[in-house]
Amino acid sequence: MSFDGMFTHAMVNELNQNLSGGRISKIQQPFANELILTVRSNRKNRQLLLSAHPNYARVQITDQPFANPAKPSTFVMSLRKYITSAIVQDFRQLNNDRVVMIDLSAKNELGDIHEYTLITEIMARHSNIFLVSKETGKIVDLIKRVSPENNSYRGLLPGDDYKLPPAQNKINPFETSETGKGLSASDLRAKFEGIGLDTSKELADFIEAGHSLADFTELYQNQIHPNAAKSNDKNKLGFFPISFNSTTTEVTAYPSLGELLDNFYLDKARLDRIEQQTKSITHRLDIILKKDKSKIKKLNQQLKKTDVMSKYNLYGELLTTYMSQIKHGSSSITLTNYYNNEEVTIKLNPEYSPSMNAQSYYKKYRKLQNSIPHINEQLEITTNEVNYLESVLASLEYVDIEDVDGIVEELISSGYIKKKRKNARKKRKNARKKRKKKIGENFQTTNGIEITVGKNNLENDQLTMKLAQKNHYWFHVKNIPGSHVILKTSTPDEDSITQAATIAAYYSKARDSSKVPVDYVQIKHIRKPNGAKPGFVIFEGQKTILVDPDRKLVESLKEN
């Protein structure tokens, strides 16, 4: 299911129940399209996420941690000026559309009360967030400013009159006496506002089973059961505010819509945010990878050419042996190969003497022979670089947003990207941060054994080659990029081995797979070749265990 008008209706009810009457205590914009309002309500701070992301636009209460940028955006500065400490009066939905309005009352510096509406329009790439003055109806500010040249329907700049999105001229399903009987799923979508594809299919089956549209909307009012479920049609995971019996199979139930969306969007939003921060870096690495892979292809082609090397050596031998039989000016000669008594036809250069033809083949043989060590050396160097860069790119798929700085630092130290110049004050600040930085992330097995996970290749090297004891156990997914995982014991029990392997599978490119093979071995059997890239080690005597990556288990073992 998408975040359609029906889901919006349920979400607005949840927001009113939890945040109505609360006070805004903090405003931040951690990412370009996302706003976080910390609302103090019922003696509890709750984070309200307003997203205008083109793919993941939504409004929800979130428990995910967000870092506050050092420099606030212009939009955040406007919001802090006008609605810091504002009281949340009400959450409203525009009919059954995907437009959420938050009514606010705030005092200015003179103590005068002003009314505002914070509006989130969920409209794919046109999604936006507005602060509108109720008194003037004008836009105070908005998260995405659009010039008049790019939008002829309405003004999207501060100071413009706020105009609602184009009306759909459909019926609000929560305010009609129509039953919906006899209508197909597509008819229901065309007639009633805010009904998405999955919702229309469920509603059509629901009505066909003898119920009415009013019965369906009643579920959205009083029988909310947040769940993540798979579609029977395409087996895709979706999120649902009620149980969709006809079109889905329930997978996981959640206590609230906010927690449902946190879990559903966790990896999607994380990857998108990491991509925003590392777009230029990954573009550069992709270019290097493309060149390296092209180089490997050429080197393999060169290596294949050396297959004729032994033939050239044989031709040289035969020409030298039968030199008296060769006539000057001949373009070829057929001789008997004395190794197998077969006839061999050898091409000759008519301008060369018999001796020069023999030497020519010997020269070709020696040239190819001498090229093999160089080709193999370059193949090894380039292949190692490809494996390393692929491991860095893969790590961006499973690390958290706060771990990106460590990966950038790794690429700077490896010479793949240049370090940005900083003033002396920032250098001192970063030096202090560097001293305080811990290596890896800590976990603890259910039997109390400590586990540490490297979040980049520099940390992997430090954990495995410097910090871990020789009798500790090392875990890593088999033949797949992933983190080094250290189980800090010399006598691990089976449960701890399984849990450490599960963590290793989770912090790898195989996170979304099942039955992932994980190698484990004591640190004393691991060594790092001279000149090897960060994170690369070789080992022997390992055992392998198959595990399923399990987010819940990993989160439960994480140390606070």
Side-chain angles (χ1 to χ4, degrees):
M1 181 180 184
S2 61
F3 203 112
D4 65 2
M6 300 295 286
F7 193 97
T8 305
H9 183 92
M11 178 58 76
V12 166
N13 287 341
E14 179 171 291
L15 295 175
N16 270 318
Q17 291 169 14
N18 288 278
L19 301 180
S20 186
R23 184 184 296 274
I24 297 174
S25 60
K26 189 176 181 180
I27 302 170
Q28 59 191 112
Q29 188 180 341
F31 303 102
N33 300 311
E34 294 175 335
L35 186 71
I36 294 289
L37 305 179
T38 301
V39 180
R40 180 75 176 174
S41 178
N42 298 320
R43 301 181 181 179
K44 192 174 183 180
N45 286 332
R46 307 295 296 271
Q47 289 187 133
L48 174 62
L49 168 64
L50 308 180
S51 174
H53 191 283
N55 298 318
Y56 314 129
R58 63 198 187 277
V59 179
Q60 66 165 107
I61 296 170
T62 180
D63 292 324
Q64 296 301 313
F66 291 91
N68 196 14
K71 186 178 179 181
S73 67
T74 303
F75 184 51
V76 165
M77 293 294 287
S78 293
L79 294 181
R80 289 176 180 174
K81 177 180 178 181
Y82 292 104
I83 62 170
T84 294
S85 298
I87 301 298
V88 178
Q89 302 288 357
D90 188 32
F91 289 85
R92 294 182 288 119
Q93 180 184 15
L94 176 64
N95 301 319
N96 197 43
D97 203 354
R98 295 184 299 169
V99 178
V100 178
M101 301 177 169
I102 310 173
D103 293 326
L104 305 168
S105 62
K107 289 183 180 180
N108 63 15
E109 59 273 11
L110 299 176
D112 299 325
I113 296 177
H114 293 275
E115 304 290 330
Y116 299 94
T117 304
L118 191 60
I119 303 171
T120 304
E121 296 179 354
I122 301 171
M123 298 163 48
R125 65 189 181 92
H126 299 295
S127 298
N128 216 328
I129 302 171
F130 303 80
L131 180 66
V132 177
S133 168
K134 276 191 175 183
E135 297 158 6
T136 64
K138 293 186 179 296
I139 299 171
V140 177
D141 210 341
L142 66 168
I143 202 166
K144 295 179 185 177
R145 299 183 180 188
V146 181
S147 64
E149 293 81 13
N150 297 323
N151 182 70
S152 58
Y153 175 75
R154 58 177 178 164
L156 292 173
L157 291 172
D160 288 335
D161 290 328
Y162 175 73
K163 187 176 180 181
L164 290 170
Q168 297 182 12
N169 297 319
K170 295 182 182 180
I171 299 171
N172 185 341
F174 291 92
E175 298 178 358
T176 181
S177 58
E178 294 197 32
T179 63
K181 288 185 179 180
L183 297 178
S184 66
S186 59
D187 291 336
L188 290 168
R189 288 198 306 277
K191 187 169 186 175
F192 297 103
E193 184 179 29
I195 295 182
L197 183 63
D198 288 332
T199 307
S200 67
K201 291 178 180 179
E202 175 70 14
L203 178 55
D205 289 343
F206 187 80
I207 292 173
E208 190 176 345
H211 303 288
S212 67
L213 175 60
D215 296 329
F216 192 69
T217 56
E218 174 66 19
L219 297 177
Y220 277 81
Q221 299 280 33
N222 300 310
Q223 295 188 41
I224 297 298
H225 297 292
N227 67 90
K230 285 186 178 178
S231 166
N232 291 334
D233 295 334
K234 298 180 181 178
N235 204 33
K236 288 185 177 180
L237 190 67
F239 55 87
F240 304 87
I242 64 173
S243 298
F244 273 30
N245 300 316
S246 60
T247 58
T248 62
T249 302
E250 186 168 324
V251 176
T252 308
Y254 293 91
S256 69
L257 296 174
E259 288 183 53
L260 165 64
L261 294 183
D262 268 351
N263 281 272
F264 183 83
Y265 284 115
L266 186 62
D267 278 336
K268 294 180 179 65
R270 176 182 59 81
L271 289 173
D272 182 78
R273 291 162 186 158
I274 288 174
E275 184 182 355
Q276 287 180 38
Q277 285 199 6
T278 62
K279 197 169 185 179
S280 61
I281 295 171
T282 54
H283 178 66
R284 174 167 173 75
L285 297 187
D286 284 337
I287 291 173
I288 298 172
L289 266 175
K290 188 176 180 180
K291 289 181 179 178
D292 282 348
K293 288 178 178 179
S294 177
K295 184 179 179 180
I296 288 173
K297 186 177 179 180
K298 291 177 181 177
L299 287 169
N300 280 321
Q301 288 172 348
Q302 291 175 17
L303 196 60
K304 193 172 182 181
K305 289 180 181 178
T306 64
D307 292 345
V308 299
M309 181 177 68
S310 58
K311 188 193 296 184
Y312 291 158
N313 186 46
L314 174 65
Y315 290 174
E317 285 185 20
L318 295 178
L319 292 175
T320 302
T321 303
Y322 299 108
M323 195 170 293
S324 60
Q325 300 179 24
I326 305 171
K327 293 180 180 179
H328 190 80
S330 298
S331 60
S332 68
I333 188 171
T334 301
L335 301 172
T336 302
N337 181 354
Y338 41 72
Y339 290 110
N340 56 17
N341 293 321
E342 293 180 357
E343 297 296 309
V344 178
T345 300
I346 303 172
K347 288 184 178 181
L348 301 173
N349 188 334
E351 297 180 1
Y352 285 1
S353 66
S355 176
M356 289 175 66
N357 271 300
Q359 290 304 315
S360 175
Y361 277 112
Y362 277 131
K363 187 176 180 180
K364 289 179 180 179
Y365 163 73
R366 286 192 295 271
K367 185 178 180 180
L368 290 174
Q369 187 184 44
N370 293 335
S371 72
I372 290 175
H374 174 73
I375 294 172
N376 285 332
E377 181 185 9
Q378 288 300 308
L379 262 177
E380 183 179 3
I381 292 171
T382 312
T383 300
N384 287 341
E385 181 170 68
V386 167
N387 292 336
Y388 170 70
L389 293 177
E390 286 182 341
S391 76
V392 172
L393 290 172
S395 68
L396 294 173
E397 296 179 16
Y398 58 81
V399 299
D400 296 322
I401 188 73
E402 59 268 21
D403 301 316
V404 171
D405 287 344
I407 294 174
V408 172
E409 182 183 329
E410 173 191 335
L411 291 170
I412 290 171
S413 67
S414 299
Y416 287 101
I417 57 175
K418 291 182 180 180
K419 189 174 184 178
K420 292 182 180 179
R421 291 185 178 182
K422 295 181 180 179
N423 58 39
R425 185 177 178 182
K426 284 186 176 180
K427 283 182 179 178
R428 288 193 297 271
K429 186 178 179 181
N430 288 344
R432 287 195 297 271
K433 282 185 178 179
K434 207 168 185 179
R435 286 196 293 270
K436 294 178 183 178
K437 184 182 175 183
K438 67 174 185 177
I439 304 299
E441 187 161 359
N442 294 325
F443 298 79
Q444 192 174 77
T445 70
T446 51
N447 291 325
I449 301 173
E450 188 178 347
I451 297 174
T452 306
V453 178
K455 289 303 194 69
N456 58 63
N457 286 310
L458 292 179
E459 288 191 357
N460 288 338
D461 272 356
Q462 287 182 289
L463 287 175
T464 301
M465 307 311 300
K466 294 182 179 179
L467 301 179
Q469 296 178 18
K470 295 296 182 183
N471 59 355
H472 287 167
Y473 275 80
W474 176 90
F475 291 74
H476 193 282
V477 285
K478 189 178 187 71
N479 301 326
I480 299 174
S483 293
H484 291 201
V485 175
I486 309 299
L487 180 62
K488 297 183 178 181
T489 180
S490 59
T491 55
D493 57 276
E494 288 187 13
D495 286 344
S496 296
I497 288 174
T498 301
Q499 290 165 16
T502 301
I503 292 172
Y506 182 75
Y507 285 102
S508 78
K509 198 171 182 179
R511 172 178 285 193
D512 297 322
S513 305
S514 59
K515 303 302 178 188
V516 177
V518 177
D519 290 333
Y520 66 99
V521 68
Q522 281 188 300
I523 296 292
K524 62 185 177 183
H525 297 298
I526 296 175
R527 66 185 182 88
K528 186 174 184 66
N530 291 333
K533 293 286 185 183
F536 179 79
V537 294
I538 55 177
F539 50 92
E540 58 186 6
Q542 72 275 15
K543 294 181 180 178
T544 304
I545 182 174
L546 293 177
V547 294
D548 293 329
D550 186 337
R551 184 195 300 277
K552 287 185 178 179
L553 174 64
V554 172
E555 292 294 332
S556 69
L557 300 176
K558 188 179 291 187
E559 290 187 352
N560 296 325

